[in-house]
């Protein structure tokens, strides 16, 4: 019997959400479970089994499963990901200095090979000798490969040869730059490819966990994943191109926000455990960043929602800056395991250690902080430096106090590297702990939260005074900082959308006076031109105050805590193909961008062929992703100025877009 019941899943840094939905009843059931990074299937099964239990729906009735995730976004924001080798064909070492590529590469290996192509796709000889010599060592020290060729968007043949060579000699995944973007700009395309390679194992684990759960529960429905622009792609494509899932969760939340509130124009702010994601709805659709999504400080070549992602969430690490006369609270960007959650997961040992630290007459710099393994298999620790491996061996599956772990200064930097590799979590005070102390959250250990905030409150500022009177006052300071910082980043995002990215509300005296409602002969005020939609499990707690600071109306839907999962099931498949026609010389036109390069001697014939090929490719990709009854639209834009009285084509860009809803199987 046909079933239109859909299962939406969102796997975030802290929680995994699940919803059951169909177009007739709308939201049928919703549930949350903790995201279990060491075994994602545990969190997925916890949330999904709960919605089945609530609704009485049999798993076999599910006709579609759709997944959104913030794991890729969080990994880039937190500087995490597997170790990847970068193979650059036809580039020079100086090219690493462009677009932040050297910074992103860090200590990961890079190999420069002779080869590449020119702007028209003509090749220079490719030499694989250097790669062949280094491949045996690399295959034991990296988890994936990324390949970027000079002008590969014009002719990808060298990337394909290198990819096939690596696959013949290793079993590791390989990403090619031409598979991710058709845009020029080699170093930024290489950056995007490198980041993609680092994310492969993470997204593969997520999809594998979901597929394993589906198999066990007898769900035979197709599985989709939300792309960074809000469109849906097949799980198979997401495995090959995990970089396209950056901003997947935020994109799904925008689709869900529009669906749940009915607002066509709004600022959407979604606070999670690790990040706050801010974007704009215009006329019912998310604004897209055509220059490429910026995540973790890197501008990629992934077309995604024009989302600004900040390392600010309920699980942001709380740090105290005591260098001034008055101490200041800083939040994030790194995520920490809340002490309240750590005590719930690991028992009384956390509380016992916190109590011991409180009894000590000496205030320690690492009070209230622990390290614990994330649970990833040991193979993810491949390639660690000896000192890093030594410290890693001293960290266990139960939290270790940092005061015991870090015995000399340089070990702090080593620990930070282990956290960045995703091997270790830091357990520390977070806004979630503050909310437990204030009685606004109660799902974890309130005792651990209280002890942690008492330890933080007794730290001293530059004048030698205690930072706060007690745990409650400390919690209020943290909450006030999160609320004000949230208002500042929302306002900063809006200013950037208006073309004023250089204005930082946190550093502007005038904006500070406006937000503070400061009295004076001159009065300042600031607001937004549209409502604020607040999303996230803690949205009802934070966003009324944030909207009040910004003097705007706000909307918080009843399903604000699962908007991502709702957006995952109401989205559409959307595939775009870009082809380019350039003039090689008078009367000769080159069609590129779809693999094979074609030469034409008639402009109209070249454009007709490009329209046909682009439309067919877009439709084929949409159908391959599971689209049903896809509709294709083809647009042509030409740069053809008048030269000495006659028209001369410089280039023509042909863009085909295929859209459709995914197929829903029989239940």
């Amino acid at each position: 019997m046909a079933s239109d019941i859909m299962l939406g899943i969102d796997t975030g840094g802290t929680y995994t959400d699940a919803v059951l939905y169909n177009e007739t009843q709308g939201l049928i059931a919703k549930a949350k479970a903790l995201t279990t990074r060491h075994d994602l299937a545990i969190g997925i099964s916890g949330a999904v089994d709960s919605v089945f239990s609530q609704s009485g729906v049999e798993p076999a009735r599910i006709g579609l499963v759709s997944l959104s995730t913030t794991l890729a976004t969080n990994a880039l924001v937190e500087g995490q990901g597997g170790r990847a080798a970068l193979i650059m064909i036809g580039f020079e070492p100086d090219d690493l200095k462009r677009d932040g590529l050297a910074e992103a590469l860090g200590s990961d290996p890079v190999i420069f090979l002779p080869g590449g192509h020119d702007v028209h796709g003509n090749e220079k000889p490719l030499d694989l000798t250097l790669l062949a010599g280094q491949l045996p060592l690399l295959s034991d020290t990296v988890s994936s490969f990324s390949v970027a060729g000079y002008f590969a968007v014009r002719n990808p043949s060298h990337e394909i040869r290198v990819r096939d060579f690596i696959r013949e000699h290793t079993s590791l995944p390989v990403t090619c730059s031409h598979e991710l973007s058709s845009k020029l700009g080699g170093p930024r395309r290489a950056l995007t490819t490198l980041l993609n390679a680092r994310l492969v194992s993470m997204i593969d684990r997520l999809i594998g966990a979901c597929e394993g759960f589906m198999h066990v529960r007898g769900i035979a429905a197709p599985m989709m994943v939300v792309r960074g622009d809000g469109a849906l792609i097949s799980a198979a494509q997401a495995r090959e191109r995990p970089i396209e899932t950056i901003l997947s969760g935020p994109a799904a939340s925008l689709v869900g926000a529009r669906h749940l509130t009915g607002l066509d124009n709004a600022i959407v702010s979604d606070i999670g455990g690790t990040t706050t994601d801010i974007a704009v709805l215009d006329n019912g659709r998310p604004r897209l960043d055509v220059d490429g999504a910026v995540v973790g400080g890197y501008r990629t070549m992934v077309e995604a929602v024009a989302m600004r992602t900040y390392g600010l969430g309920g699980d942001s690490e709380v740090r105290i800056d005591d260098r001034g006369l008055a101490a200041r609270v800083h939040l994030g960007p790194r995520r920490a395991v809340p002490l309240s959650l750590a005590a719930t997961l690991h028992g009384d040992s956390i509380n016992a250690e916190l109590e011991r630290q409180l009894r000590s007459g000496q205030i320690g710099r690492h009070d209230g902080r622990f390290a614990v393994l994330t649970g990833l298999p040991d193979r993810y620790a491949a390639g660690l430096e000896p000192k890093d491996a030594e410290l890693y061996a001293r960290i266990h599956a139960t939290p270790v106090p940092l005061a015991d772990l870090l015995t000399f200064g340089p070990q702090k930097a080593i620990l930070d590297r282990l956290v960045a590799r995703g091997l270790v979590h830091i357990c520390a005070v977070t806004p979630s702990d503050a909310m437990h102390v204030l009685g606004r959250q109660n799902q974890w250990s309130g005792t651990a939260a209280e002890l942690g905030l008492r330890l933080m409150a007794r730290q001293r500022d530059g004048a030698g005074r205690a930072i706060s009177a007690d745990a409650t006052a400390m919690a209020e300071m943290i909450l006030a900082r999160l609320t004000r910082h949230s208002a500042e980043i929302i306002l900063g995002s809006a200013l950037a959308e208006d073309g004023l990215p250089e204005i930082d509300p946190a550093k502007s005296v005038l904006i500070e006076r406006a937000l503070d409602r400061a009295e004076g002969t001159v009065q300042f005020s600031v607001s937004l031109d549209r409502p604020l939609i607040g999303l996230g499990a803690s949205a009802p707690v934070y966003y009324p105050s944030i909207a009040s600071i910004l003097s705007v109306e706000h909307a918080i839907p009843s399903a604000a805590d699962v908007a991502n999962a709702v957006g995952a099931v109401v989205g559409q498949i959307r595939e775009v193909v870009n082809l380019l026609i350039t003039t090689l010389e008078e009367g000769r036109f080159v069609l590129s961008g779809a693999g094979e390069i074609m030469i034409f001697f008639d402009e109209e014939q070249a454009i007709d062929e490009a329209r046909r090929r682009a439309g067919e490719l877009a439709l084929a990709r949409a159908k391959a992703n599971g689209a049903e009854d896809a509709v294709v639209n083809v647009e042509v834009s030409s740069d053809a100025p008048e030269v000495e009285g006659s028209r001369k084509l410089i280039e023509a860009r042909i863009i085909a877009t295929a859209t459709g809803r995914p197929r829903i199987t029989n239940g």
Side-chain angles (χ1 to χ4, degrees), residues 281-294:
L281 275 176
D282 267 337
N283 299 317
R285 296 196 62 183
R287 286 186 188 172
L288 296 183
D289 189 343
V290 295
D291 292 328
V294 178

Side-chain angles (χ1 to χ4, degrees), residues 511-543:
I511 290 178
E512 181 182 9
R513 288 181 63 85
L515 296 180
D516 288 342
R517 313 288 202 276
E519 295 183 359
T521 305
V522 179
Q523 297 285 304
F524 294 94
S525 63
V526 63
S527 187
L528 304 172
D529 74 337
R530 59 195 68 201
L532 174 66
I533 299 177
L535 301 178
S538 56
V541 175
Y542 297 129
Y543 282 107

Side-chain angles (χ1 to χ4, degrees), residues 39-212:
D39 185 353
L40 295 166
I42 297 173
I44 291 171
S45 62
V48 176
D49 284 344
S50 181
V51 293
F52 285 142
S53 175
Q54 291 176 41
S55 64
V57 171
E58 291 295 326
R61 290 187 58 198
I62 299 301
L64 177 72
V65 177
S66 193
L67 174 70
S68 70
T69 179
T70 60
L71 292 184
T73 310
N74 294 349
L76 297 185
V77 168
E78 298 179 62
Q80 296 182 3
R83 193 165 189 258
L86 174 61
I87 315 300
M88 298 190 74
I89 309 167
F91 291 94
E92 300 294 334
D94 280 350
D95 288 314
L96 293 179
K97 300 176 183 177
R98 296 169 54 191
D99 296 301
L101 181 54
E103 180 185 355
L105 187 65
S107 61
D108 286 4
V110 57
I111 296 176
F112 295 93
L113 298 181
H117 298 81
D118 64 19
V119 66
H120 297 298
N122 302 309
E123 73 171 3
K124 301 173 184 178
L126 174 65
D127 186 349
L128 299 176
T129 304
L130 183 60
L131 177 62
Q134 296 195 28
L135 203 53
L137 176 62
L138 287 175
S139 62
D140 291 332
T141 58
V142 302
S143 59
S144 58
F145 288 87
S146 52
V147 182
Y150 203 74
F151 277 112
V153 295
R154 295 288 191 261
N155 188 334
S157 61
H158 284 186
E159 286 192 353
I160 293 170
R161 285 175 58 188
V162 170
R163 178 196 68 193
D164 293 346
F165 184 81
I166 294 172
R167 286 178 175 173
E168 287 173 9
H169 293 84
T170 80
S171 59
L172 296 176
V174 187
T175 301
C176 292
S177 75
H178 76 274
E179 298 169 337
L180 300 177
S181 177
S182 61
K183 295 180 180 179
L184 296 176
R188 186 145 65 94
R189 202 171 63 253
L191 167 69
T192 304
T193 310
L194 173 67
L195 297 178
N196 185 84
R198 286 180 177 165
L199 296 171
V200 165
S201 60
M202 177 183 296
I203 297 302
D204 183 67
R205 286 194 310 117
L206 172 62
I207 294 174
C210 195
E211 289 176 338

Side-chain angles (χ1 to χ4, degrees), residues 219-244:
I219 300 173
M223 179 177 168
M224 309 299 295
V225 179
V226 180
R227 201 167 57 192
D229 61 357
L232 303 179
I233 56 176
S234 68
Q237 183 171 326
R239 269 195 164 107
E240 294 177 358
R241 305 180 186 181
I243 192 68
E244 292 189 353

